[in-house]
Amino acid sequence: MRYFLLYIVTSLVLVTGVAQAQQADSVYSLQQCLDIAIRNNLDVKKSELEMERQRIYWKQARLNLLPTINGSVDHSINNGRSQNADLTYVNAQITNANYNLNSNLVLFDGLAMFSSIKQTALAYQAGQMDFQAAKNSISLNVITTYLAMLNNEDQVTQAETQVQVSKQQADRLEILNRDGNVTPAEFYNLKGQLANDQLSLITAKNNLIASRLNLLELMNIPYNKNIKFERLSAAELPAAYKTAQDDVYNTALKDLAQVRATELRVRSSEKAVKVAKGRIFPTLSLYSGVFTQYSSGSAGSYTTQFRNNYNTSFGLNLSIPFLNGFKRRNDIALAKINLQESQYVDYTTKVKLKQNVEQAYANMTLALERYKIQADQVAAYAEAFRTTEIRFNAGAVTSVEFVIAKGNLDRSRTNLIVARYDYFIRTKILDYYQNRLSFN
């Protein structure tokens, strides 16, 4: 037994180790991150459950058209004076058994059931749109967080380059300083710049860790510093956005899940009013039944009584609602209020959508302009630094001028990275409004 337990524990440790190693070696693409986040996100799961609930309501509304069939069995023991099955009275202990099977089919109810089917079908479609909207929302969050992480990776790479350039110059001046070929101020000025670049590298690494944590939290998987993320290809990097603002808005009105959900709820509320109105009409039903009974106080065996007491019935029933505390009238009034509320929500959603699209498009346009200006600035500062570095190596300029030129170039390159990913994120927000978030 001891060896068996040791075998089990060892197997579990090995399996866990293999799983952790596989996770550590994993390289996630953006599409994989999207798939994992959608699969694991609790808000998406809750939305899916609500959609399934609406589907069941719709299914039940259709099944309500079927006839109802119900049976009952009643067994009793009576002591004292009681009536038996042949309607005579006896003073004894009697065993009675009643068997009943009945069915009912609604022929007309003011079309309330048909309206209910349409109402629940539209509510189910709205639930599907809510489910899609939840997936779109988490997808947008994953995409923007993924791009922010790539931005921070580029920031780390840029910071490492800055440190490398500063260290090379600091090492060179350290030798010249020992030989007395430069002033100590020149050397320590560049040493200070190296320390500043090293601090920038630490900040960039901390930002990268934070963005990776945010992404893994969205994916709802444990943090592992060894997990890697795939870089985007050059074809996915910023390009001029080709869709006009009005086209973005018109597409959003037609395709965006949130908008379609509010429209479907308006239509569902309209059917709910018809359901409430249908219930003020009389209800005509067809009914039928089968009945038999047995009594120990009557002559004949159980089988004989069961067969001889057998009877059937069928007929029509008309139920007319005259006065029920005005409940049905108030149900109509409440349904109309719900309809008006859903119309307000639909109108507000579309107004807010227009404002959001206008703001998002303006942000995208400004981000593109900033990206272009930053690219020109990097080119200018790169040339300035190139000439300054040549002159600095020749001893024609001081370290102060070199540090200034290098700082200008480093800041412009950092700002270019930020501008590039900012523009990329803005384009993805516009894609989100057009229901086009995909990285397959």
Side-chain angles (χ1 to χ4, degrees):
M1 183 65 182
R2 183 178 61 184
Y3 293 108
F4 177 74
L5 290 175
L6 180 61
Y7 171 77
I8 295 295
V9 172
T10 304
S11 299
L12 289 174
V13 170
L14 289 175
V15 169
T16 303
V18 170
Q20 290 178 345
Q22 289 176 341
Q23 186 184 43
D25 294 336
S26 298
V27 178
Y28 291 107
S29 67
L30 177 53
Q31 186 60 51
Q32 288 175 318
C33 292
L34 290 170
D35 294 339
I36 293 172
I38 290 173
R39 186 169 60 247
N40 293 345
N41 185 261
L42 295 180
D43 289 336
V44 174
K45 290 182 178 181
K46 287 168 59 179
S47 180
E48 186 176 16
L49 290 176
E50 180 59 30
M51 178 188 68
E52 181 63 15
R53 182 181 290 112
Q54 295 299 330
R55 188 192 67 81
I56 294 173
Y57 288 152
W58 176 43
K59 178 181 178 181
Q60 185 59 58
R62 289 177 291 163
L63 293 175
N64 288 340
L65 294 176
L66 298 177
T68 60
I69 301 176
N70 297 288
S72 65
V73 177
D74 176 23
H75 283 258
S76 64
I77 299 176
N78 297 334
N79 291 300
R81 185 175 176 79
S82 59
Q83 188 180 51
N84 60 22
D86 57 9
L87 304 182
T88 61
Y89 286 91
V90 295
N91 190 3
Q93 185 181 78
I94 296 177
T95 301
N96 293 316
N98 298 305
Y99 302 91
N100 183 54
L101 183 66
N102 59 77
S103 177
N104 187 77
L105 175 64
V106 176
L107 300 178
F108 177 79
D109 66 344
L111 302 179
M113 287 196 295
F114 286 100
S115 297
S116 179
I117 292 174
K118 295 176 182 178
Q119 175 202 353
T120 52
L122 290 167
Y124 171 50
Q125 292 175 37
Q128 289 177 310
M129 291 300 102
D130 285 337
F131 179 47
Q132 183 61 45
K135 292 193 290 184
N136 287 347
S137 179
I138 189 64
S139 296
L140 180 62
N141 288 336
V142 168
I143 288 172
T144 55
T145 306
Y146 194 98
L147 293 176
M149 181 205 63
L150 294 183
N151 174 33
N152 288 326
E153 283 185 353
D154 288 353
Q155 298 281 9
V156 169
T157 302
Q158 173 60 24
E160 289 173 343
T161 301
Q162 293 173 196
V163 169
Q164 183 179 6
V165 172
S166 295
K167 190 173 187 311
Q168 288 175 350
Q169 291 293 347
D171 292 343
R172 187 178 70 85
L173 287 191
E174 185 176 12
I175 297 173
L176 294 176
N177 181 55
R178 283 201 304 266
D179 296 339
N181 293 326
V182 295
T183 63
E186 294 283 326
F187 169 63
Y188 288 110
N189 188 39
L190 204 54
K191 287 276 287 185
Q193 178 61 38
L194 174 60
N196 184 62
D197 290 342
Q198 289 171 335
L199 289 174
S200 297
L201 177 59
I202 292 173
T203 301
K205 287 182 177 179
N206 287 336
N207 291 338
L208 176 58
I209 292 173
S211 61
R212 288 168 61 90
L213 275 170
N214 291 337
L215 180 57
L216 293 175
E217 285 175 3
L218 287 174
M219 296 165 64
N220 200 17
I221 62 176
Y223 175 76
N224 189 317
K225 65 180 181 179
N226 295 320
I227 292 178
K228 298 178 178 62
F229 296 92
E230 188 177 86
R231 301 289 300 181
L232 297 180
S233 66
E236 295 165 333
L237 296 179
Y241 204 74
K242 298 179 181 180
T243 310
Q245 179 179 311
D246 290 341
D247 292 336
V248 173
Y249 175 66
N250 292 331
T251 302
L253 275 180
K254 183 179 64 175
D255 296 335
L256 189 64
Q258 291 93 319
V259 176
R260 294 182 62 190
T262 60
E263 291 175 343
L264 288 166
R265 285 200 169 86
V266 170
R267 293 169 58 190
S268 178
S269 297
E270 290 172 349
K271 297 301 179 183
V273 173
K274 291 186 176 182
V275 172
K277 287 182 176 179
R279 286 173 180 162
I280 67 175
F281 288 90
T283 300
L284 179 64
S285 303
L286 174 67
Y287 69 88
S288 63
V290 179
F291 175 80
T292 189
Q293 63 178 347
Y294 162 80
S295 175
S296 63
S298 300
S301 65
Y302 180 91
T303 304
T304 301
Q305 291 190 47
F306 189 90
R307 184 175 59 252
N308 292 341
N309 293 334
Y310 173 82
N311 71 83
T312 61
S313 64
F314 67 91
L316 292 172
N317 177 65
L318 183 64
S319 176
I320 305 174
F322 286 112
L323 181 64
N324 297 280
F326 295 97
K327 180 180 184 304
R328 299 193 179 185
R329 295 288 180 182
N330 287 330
D331 287 344
I332 295 175
L334 290 173
K336 288 181 178 180
I337 291 174
N338 291 337
L339 170 59
Q340 193 172 24
E341 183 180 23
S342 63
Q343 289 172 336
Y344 288 158
V345 171
D346 180 54
Y347 176 77
T348 303
T349 300
K350 290 175 180 177
V351 170
K352 189 66 175 176
L353 172 65
K354 186 171 181 61
Q355 295 171 347
N356 290 342
V357 169
E358 290 173 347
Q359 185 63 58
Y361 207 90
N363 291 340
M364 182 275 298
T365 303
L366 292 174
L368 179 59
E369 292 299 321
R370 184 163 51 247
Y371 174 70
K372 291 178 179 178
I373 293 173
Q374 287 294 153
D376 292 339
Q377 187 184 61
V378 167
Y381 279 141
E383 180 61 22
F385 176 72
R386 186 186 69 82
T387 58
T388 302
E389 187 176 32
I390 293 173
R391 297 179 65 197
F392 177 67
N393 292 336
V397 297
T398 65
S399 61
V400 174
E401 293 175 277
F402 174 81
V403 168
I404 292 175
K406 182 178 180 300
N408 289 337
L409 178 59
D410 292 341
R411 282 189 298 273
S412 66
R413 283 175 172 170
T414 299
N415 292 335
L416 178 62
I417 294 171
V418 173
R420 181 179 66 164
Y421 283 102
D422 181 53
Y423 172 66
F424 202 179
I425 289 173
R426 303 298 178 183
T427 62
K428 289 305 163 187
I429 292 174
L430 290 175
D431 287 346
Y432 162 77
Y433 285 121
Q434 298 171 86
N435 204 24
R436 315 194 298 208
L437 290 178
S438 178
F439 280 82
N440 285 316

